[in-house]
Amino acid sequence: MITADERARAEDFLSFVNASPTPFHAVASAVKRFTDAGFKEIKEKDCWSDVCKPGGKYYVTRNDSTIIAFAVGNKWKPGNSIAMIGAHTDSPCLRIKPVSKRTNEGFLQIAVEPYGGGIWHTWFDRDLSIAGRVIVKQEDGTFCSKLVHVEKPILRIPTLAIHLDRTEDFAFNKETQLLPICGMVAAELSKTSESESENESVTPFKKMTERHHPCLIELLSTELSVKADDIIDFEMLLYDTQKSCLGGMKDQFIFSPRLDNLNSSFCATVALVESLASPSALENESAIRLVSLFDHEEIGSRTAQGADSNMLPAIIRRLSVLRVAGKSENEDLSTAYEQSLATSFLVSADMAHAVNPNYAYKYESEHKPEINRGPVIKINANARYATNSPGIVLMHEVARAAVAKSDVSSDSIVPMQLLVVRNDSSCGSTIGPMLSAALGSRTLDLGSPQLSMHSIRETGGTKDVALATRLFTSFFENYTALAPKILID
């Protein structure tokens, strides 16, 4: 049965994911929650020594698509532990190509490029639109980034009528048959001729209205209330306009795009904020509580804003040497970074595969995670996941601490599940192994169970949002006390 609190938590997630069709918007959504909770923005290009202080709450972004937020305990000392949860903001999608203008058989088409490993056949016959960021030239000659979220359906990838192809397997060419239509050529001809008669300017590239259909540029300029000529470039993603919602006979399910991995991003963000809700939350805290939400996990993370970049190590290095008021300037901080990493812990939070009842044979017989039964700890003997026994014990104790704190009955229990894939099957990848290797910190991979991973429309559990949030909150609140009991060198 879904409790009122679990429903409220799930509906809060629905508002988060509906407002976050792209990594840029997901970061903006997280920023709003952090700023509302009193977090202060800081910049990588600035010096932090006079800004970051014990008792403070801060966040830093990179590329508008990655964010790291943290709170410093009042009893922090250089070299102390950092309790971390890492997730990612990106999901498989279609992205508009730099030159997207296409026409065929009287239709306007927009050329797109697949991003990540999506189940692309699920994108056919959906009501699609666009969202992303646009680089705009301002009156003073500077350039700024503006977010766009077009909420009406403007694109569709049509399937071929069954009468013209009765093969059972749905196969298609991603270059020639994964092209959305956006209008008819006849309706665009007059606008094109008008735009060509306007003032011509010399630019290194073709004009935006030559690279893309003028109607697309006009739509973006209208959304942003800027001149079409001031749009210099954009990064635009396609998304399904159907809203996320609760589903099932008794609302047990979440039907939504981008569960992988905005679900984990949401739970981590809310958990950090709620772990600091009490005015005295940081009073006796000697650690730093940190959330990192990275872009580009779906394509390997090897970018400046990905988990395999220098971002998290560089920020930890800065934090590890934060001085405490009254301490000597001659204090030896040469090994503070290594000391912090040795006692820190990272929870790599990424969604897990729930058992699909129609394909149960695809799962290892004793490891079939169920929706609404709590977070799934992911294990792989070949280190595709970073989980090991000490980490499992730690999360077990974190879950126990969450129950002990609650004054609610059995509904407060945070159950957990274990997952390994079949020996004749491959498993997914996460940011866990790469960050554990880069940092040397203890790491564990877990995530809430879901169906249809990488589909345009995925299925998760309503209860699981609250369960993961409760577990993550307990992790932040109890790590300092629990970590020394389970420190295995």
Side-chain angles (χ1 to χ4, degrees):
M1 179 178 177
I2 307 300
T3 68
D5 288 342
E6 290 167 343
R7 175 183 289 273
R9 183 72 76 194
E11 289 176 343
D12 191 21
F13 166 69
L14 297 182
S15 67
F16 180 88
V17 72
N18 284 331
S20 307
T22 75
F24 309 117
H25 291 82
V27 166
S29 296
V31 164
K32 184 179 187 309
R33 289 174 183 264
F34 286 130
T35 54
D36 288 348
F39 283 67
K40 177 182 178 182
E41 182 180 16
I42 52 179
K43 301 288 188 180
E44 285 189 278
K45 62 183 178 65
D46 297 332
C47 177
W48 294 1
S49 59
D50 295 328
V51 178
C52 296
K53 305 291 183 183
K57 299 180 290 186
Y58 312 93
Y59 72 88
V60 58
T61 63
R62 182 182 284 187
N63 189 55
D64 295 330
S65 60
T66 290
I67 182 171
I68 294 180
F70 56 89
V72 185
N74 281 337
K75 294 189 176 181
W76 165 264
K77 294 180 182 179
N80 278 12
S81 302
I82 303 177
M84 301 175 280
I85 298 179
H88 64 89
T89 59
D90 62 321
S91 302
C93 65
L94 298 175
R95 296 195 173 205
I96 295 180
K97 288 184 176 181
V99 180
S100 70
K101 194 174 184 178
R102 303 286 192 277
T103 59
N104 195 20
E105 301 298 336
F107 285 95
L108 299 179
Q109 296 173 297
I110 292 180
V112 295
E113 182 179 11
Y115 171 91
I119 305 178
W120 303 121
H121 69 260
T122 63
W123 285 71
F124 282 74
D125 293 334
R126 302 294 300 187
D127 296 345
L128 306 176
S129 192
I130 57 174
R133 69 174 175 182
V134 179
I135 306 301
V136 176
K137 185 176 182 179
Q138 303 183 104
E139 291 184 1
D140 62 359
T142 60
F143 300 86
C144 68
S145 171
K146 293 180 178 288
L147 294 187
V148 172
H149 183 181
V150 179
E151 298 197 41
K152 71 172 185 177
I154 60 172
L155 301 167
R156 198 171 182 89
I157 305 173
T159 52
L160 184 64
I162 192 171
H163 314 85
L164 304 180
D165 185 0
R166 294 187 180 277
T167 57
E168 291 186 4
D169 295 331
F170 180 33
F172 58 92
N173 184 289
K174 287 187 285 187
E175 176 63 24
T176 61
Q177 295 168 330
L178 196 63
L179 278 167
I181 58 174
C182 67
M184 303 301 294
V185 171
E188 185 71 359
L189 287 178
S190 59
K191 292 183 179 179
T192 303
S193 60
E194 290 172 7
S195 66
E196 289 175 349
S197 65
E198 296 173 356
N199 294 332
E200 294 290 336
S201 58
V202 179
T203 60
F205 300 115
K206 289 181 179 180
K207 291 180 61 176
M208 290 294 283
T209 50
E210 295 178 8
R211 293 163 53 191
H212 308 281
H213 290 299
C215 59
L216 175 60
I217 304 303
E218 179 184 351
L219 174 63
L220 295 177
S221 66
T222 300
E223 289 283 326
L224 294 172
S225 298
V226 301
K227 298 177 182 177
D229 288 344
D230 291 335
I231 295 177
I232 308 303
D233 199 39
F234 59 69
E235 294 170 75
M236 211 56 55
L237 287 61
L238 275 59
Y239 77 97
D240 188 353
T241 58
Q242 184 178 357
K243 300 290 188 181
S244 303
C245 63
L246 300 183
M249 298 292 286
K250 296 187 177 180
D251 290 344
Q252 308 101 316
F253 303 130
I254 292 175
F255 299 150
S256 173
R258 302 181 297 282
L259 286 178
D260 177 20
N261 193 31
L262 291 190
N263 189 301
S264 301
S265 296
F266 169 83
C267 294
T269 297
V270 172
L272 178 57
V273 169
E274 294 194 350
S275 77
L276 305 169
S278 169
S280 60
L282 294 174
E283 186 175 327
N284 295 311
E285 179 62 85
S286 61
I288 290 175
R289 303 175 184 180
L290 180 148
V291 161
S292 54
L293 310 179
F294 295 101
D295 195 3
H296 289 162
E297 188 275 344
E298 297 292 356
I299 56 171
S301 297
R302 298 207 59 158
T303 63
Q305 53 270 20
D308 204 17
S309 70
N310 73 330
M311 189 173 183
L312 184 57
I315 287 177
I316 292 176
R317 187 177 295 279
R318 287 185 175 203
L319 298 181
S320 68
V321 297
L322 284 180
R323 293 185 181 277
V324 180
K327 289 293 182 179
S328 170
E329 292 294 323
N330 296 322
E331 182 182 4
D332 182 11
L333 301 180
S334 60
T335 61
Y337 176 66
E338 289 78 9
Q339 288 176 267
S340 284
L341 292 178
T343 57
S344 297
F345 194 95
L346 169 68
V347 175
S348 168
D350 204 346
M351 299 297 280
H353 297 291
V355 62
N356 186 321
N358 297 330
Y359 300 90
Y361 64 91
K362 287 286 189 178
Y363 301 79
E364 207 275 344
S365 59
E366 299 301 321
H367 298 86
K368 295 180 176 180
E370 299 176 36
I371 283 177
N372 287 324
R373 294 295 299 275
V376 179
I377 294 178
K378 299 187 280 189
I379 305 162
N380 183 260
N382 296 298
R384 295 284 288 176
Y385 303 128
T387 304
N388 61 13
S389 290
I392 293 175
V393 173
L394 175 64
M395 295 313 296
H396 178 272
E397 295 304 303
V398 166
R400 283 166 53 90
V403 175
K405 176 187 174 183
S406 177
D407 57 2
V408 187
S409 63
S410 59
D411 285 341
S412 66
I413 293 174
V414 181
M416 289 192 293
Q417 308 177 75
L418 300 172
L419 170 68
V420 295
V421 299
R422 289 171 55 101
N423 293 338
D424 56 1
S425 177
S426 60
C427 68
S429 60
T430 71
I431 62 175
M434 67 181 68
L435 282 176
S436 66
L439 301 174
S441 292
R442 294 167 296 163
T443 304
L444 176 136
D445 275 292
L446 63 72
S448 296
Q450 71 162 94
L451 297 171
S452 306
M453 188 176 290
H454 288 195
S455 171
I456 197 171
R457 198 80 179 167
E458 301 170 322
T459 299
T462 302
K463 293 173 68 74
D464 285 323
V465 180
L467 292 173
T469 303
R470 195 178 304 145
L471 183 70
F472 293 167
T473 303
S474 178
F475 170 72
F476 284 129
E477 293 175 339
N478 296 292
Y479 179 75
T480 299
L482 291 174
K485 301 177 182 178
I486 318 170
L487 182 58
I488 299 176
D489 295 325

